Amino acid sequence: MVINGSLMPAPMARKETEMNLRIACRWLIPALMAALLQLSSGQARADTFSFDLSVGNPAISGFAGPYEKVTVNLTNSTTANITFQSYTVAGNTYLMGDGSTVALNVNSTSFSASGISGTNSGTNFQSWSLVSTSSGQTDGFGNFNFQVNSFDGFAHAIDTMTLTLTNNSGTWGSASDVLTPNAGGSTAASHVFVTTSPADGHNGALATGYAGNGNNSGNVVPEPSSIALGLVGLVGLGLTQIRRLVRRPPLAQV
């Protein structure tokens, strides 16, 4: 190395290089540690996708939506937990029940459902019970390859339904892959009972009808794989910065 026209001694050049490395590591190591913590947190967090059933058929379209929230929680590549949750909008609660209580168009040629459960946080409702599961039409929203049919009408209506889907013919890459639009463009639908809030079994239903989502758009939680790609970029940037500092000619000494 040259300083004021003369070569820098090798020990001095090594010292300069070591100083540049220490400067780089001073900010790079903490940044990488924080990024690794973020990655481990992302890997522990399940892949979740949610959307609203905001389109009502003519029987309930006069009541403002959205009607239900659907959450898909992919716990591994073949298992997903599904939750339907009633909304309360403009003083009305949208419960679920009876035939085609909930309907899903599952993205699999062979799948099974388990752990089907319905609950209601309102008062004076009778216990929920499962009648059957099937495939078929949900009024106004087309054919679905999975439906839950529950017992009787408003007295047994629920505000939350949970179930687990298992893919027996393949895998799902993300939560947004678990469901697929049917011919009418809906991935999910439900049989809605409109009632005044707070929900009370003695009040009865103002109207009954069906709601769907119309398409598979929703709010996606970033997948762990996306976080990992971001970390690769961060590490690459850090290594580039180190190389730049190491190769930078030392400042001339006066």
Side-chain angles (χ1 to χ4, degrees):
M1 295 185 182
V2 179
I3 300 177
N4 292 334
S6 61
L7 290 174
M8 176 188 287
M12 187 177 297
R14 285 197 297 271
K15 185 176 181 180
E16 179 85 10
T17 299
E18 291 171 358
M19 182 179 68
N20 287 340
L21 284 171
R22 284 197 296 271
I23 293 172
C25 292
R26 193 172 298 163
W27 65 266
L28 179 61
I29 291 175
L32 289 177
M33 290 179 65
L36 288 173
L37 286 174
Q38 181 183 5
L39 176 59
S40 63
S41 173
Q43 288 175 330
R45 183 178 61 242
D47 182 7
T48 303
F49 177 76
S50 62
F51 57 92
D52 292 338
L53 305 186
S54 54
V55 181
N57 72 351
I60 61 170
S61 60
F63 297 91
Y67 305 96
E68 320 291 347
K69 179 178 182 179
V70 182
T71 300
V72 181
N73 185 343
L74 187 67
T75 58
N76 59 57
S77 62
T78 60
T79 307
N81 296 325
I82 312 294
T83 302
F84 284 74
Q85 181 69 51
S86 295
Y87 277 117
T88 296
V89 179
N92 295 311
T93 297
Y94 303 120
L95 303 179
M96 299 165 281
D98 214 344
S100 193
T101 302
V102 301
L104 297 166
N105 208 54
V106 183
N107 186 22
S108 174
T109 57
S110 176
F111 62 91
S112 57
S114 60
I116 304 172
S117 177
T119 58
N120 193 332
S121 59
T123 58
N124 299 312
F125 287 91
Q126 299 181 40
S127 60
W128 180 88
S129 60
L130 175 68
V131 172
S132 65
T133 60
S134 62
S135 61
Q137 292 284 327
T138 297
D139 189 18
F141 296 96
N143 189 71
F144 294 84
N145 61 7
F146 180 72
Q147 294 175 321
V148 174
N149 307 300
S150 56
F151 180 71
D152 213 353
F154 179 78
H156 299 267
I158 56 176
D159 59 20
T160 303
M161 172 166 282
T162 58
L163 59 94
T164 298
L165 294 175
T166 301
N167 191 340
N168 300 321
S169 60
T171 59
W172 293 307
S174 67
S176 59
D177 293 334
V178 174
L179 305 178
T180 187
N182 64 7
S186 288
T187 58
S190 70
H191 189 175
V192 177
F193 291 81
V194 182
T195 190
T196 55
S197 179
D200 188 325
H202 292 161
N203 291 340
L206 300 174
T208 63
Y210 293 85
N213 65 322
N215 59 60
N216 196 21
S217 60
N219 305 310
V220 182
V221 175
E223 300 173 43
S225 58
S226 301
I227 299 174
L229 288 174
L231 292 183
V232 170
L234 177 61
V235 172
L237 179 62
L239 293 175
T240 300
Q241 182 69 1
I242 288 177
R243 285 196 296 269
R244 186 182 70 81
L245 289 171
V246 171
R247 292 174 181 174
R248 185 180 66 187
L251 296 175
Q253 299 179 3
V254 180

